[in-house]
Amino acid sequence: DTGVSQDPRHKITKRGQNVTFRCDPISEHNRLYWYRQTLGQGPEFLTYFQNEAQLEKSRLLSDRFSAERPKGSFSTLEIQRTEQGDSAMYLCASSSSKLNTEAFFGQGTRLTVV
Amino acid sequence: DAKTTQPNSMESNEEEPVHLPCNHSTISGTDYIHWYRQLPSQGPEYVIHGLTSNVNNRMASLAIAEDRKSSTLILHRATLRDAAVYYCILREPWGKLQFGAGTQVVVTP
């Protein structure tokens, strides 16, 4: 397994457009997380899946944001009607539900809204 | 809000040890202490974790205070590749990581 992969690595979009990011977790991991990171800050939690169920959503996740994890495998994060404030690095991580195993992060998708 | 407090930055000379402190005075009995680091332009990377006892692995050591209200990550011999932001995190039971701003480690040749 090559680890957590995210696609695309970079995305430039015009304000008001919709964008979708994909995350492929480590295959045996049943937990998947999305985080957002802006320059100089630590990552902020957005949402969490266990298998295909979305179990928690941060208040940061406005109604323009939606995440899915069909069949409990890969996940997508969609942002509708993008705003300049959405410009950030979007990170995906996965882990196993065994007690206190570490999370593995992808390299992220850098979104720039112009 | 992050439940841990760390210094903004620390500087070390290459080949010398680095001690990174972290305060977590509101830690609960079931919280594990996790450390991650983030190199430039990369996602965070797991370093080490512990509950009550000190822990060692190939990357670092973790010293946990007896009252668990603080911990220290120890990099035994800093290299230039250790220059990164180090995050001290209290991991929630289902795996959510609440990152703070972390400590920027600068390693000088």
Side-chain angles (χ1 to χ4, degrees):
Chain A
D1 200 322
T2 56
V4 178
S5 62
Q6 294 188 242
D7 183 69
R9 292 290 309 279
H10 303 274
K11 178 72 177 178
I12 299 174
T13 191
K14 292 183 178 179
R15 189 171 45 187
Q17 297 295 303
N18 299 343
V19 294
T20 301
F21 310 139
R22 177 180 171 121
C23 171
D24 286 274
I26 293 172
S27 57
E28 62 267 27
H29 285 178
N30 58 344
R31 290 177 171 172
L32 187 147
Y33 313 84
W34 284 98
Y35 292 83
R36 180 174 69 186
Q37 186 173 26
T38 53
L39 202 60
Q41 303 297 314
E44 298 172 297
F45 170 79
L46 292 179
T47 190
Y48 151 65
F49 291 85
Q50 177 144 327
N51 301 312
E52 66 275 10
Q54 188 174 18
L55 297 185
E56 183 171 338
K57 292 168 59 173
S58 164
R59 65 180 183 275
L60 294 174
L61 215 64
S62 76
D63 56 7
R64 295 185 299 106
F65 288 71
S66 63
E68 294 182 342
R69 193 183 181 198
K71 302 177 183 177
S73 55
F74 71 92
S75 176
T76 58
L77 178 68
E78 181 184 16
I79 309 174
Q80 296 182 327
R81 305 181 303 280
T82 52
E83 302 173 355
Q84 286 190 319
D86 297 330
S87 295
M89 175 74 82
Y90 290 84
L91 293 161
C92 175
S94 71
S95 71
S96 167
S97 57
K98 288 181 184 177
L99 185 63
N100 285 304
T101 57
E102 66 264 34
F104 293 82
F105 282 80
Q107 293 199 304
T109 294
R110 179 164 296 284
L111 173 67
T112 303
V113 182
V114 297
Chain B
D1 290 347
K3 303 175 185 176
T4 62
T5 305
Q6 300 176 251
N8 289 335
S9 64
M10 293 194 73
E11 194 167 329
S12 173
N13 294 322
E14 200 174 8
E15 302 291 315
E16 291 187 356
V18 182
H19 291 241
L20 301 178
C22 180
N23 289 319
H24 29 78
S25 58
T26 61
I27 191 170
S28 72
T30 56
D31 285 339
Y32 277 72
I33 302 157
H34 279 237
W35 285 80
Y36 282 73
R37 72 178 186 180
Q38 189 172 23
L39 281 66
S41 301
Q42 294 192 23
E45 172 189 32
Y46 168 81
V47 177
I48 199 167
H49 77 274
L51 182 63
T52 56
S53 303
N54 295 344
V55 184
N56 299 295
N57 67 18
R58 64 174 180 81
M59 290 181 71
S61 296
L62 177 60
I64 301 173
E66 197 169 332
D67 64 5
R68 301 207 329 124
K69 293 184 184 300
S70 66
S71 61
T72 301
L73 180 72
I74 303 163
L75 307 177
H76 294 287
R77 293 179 64 195
T79 70
L80 296 179
R81 290 173 294 179
D82 292 323
V85 179
Y86 287 77
Y87 298 100
C88 169
I89 300 163
L90 301 183
R91 183 187 181 276
E92 298 191 16
W94 47 263
K96 175 182 172 182
L97 301 172
Q98 193 90 319
F99 288 83
T103 297
Q104 174 71 62
V105 170
V106 177
V107 181
T108 306

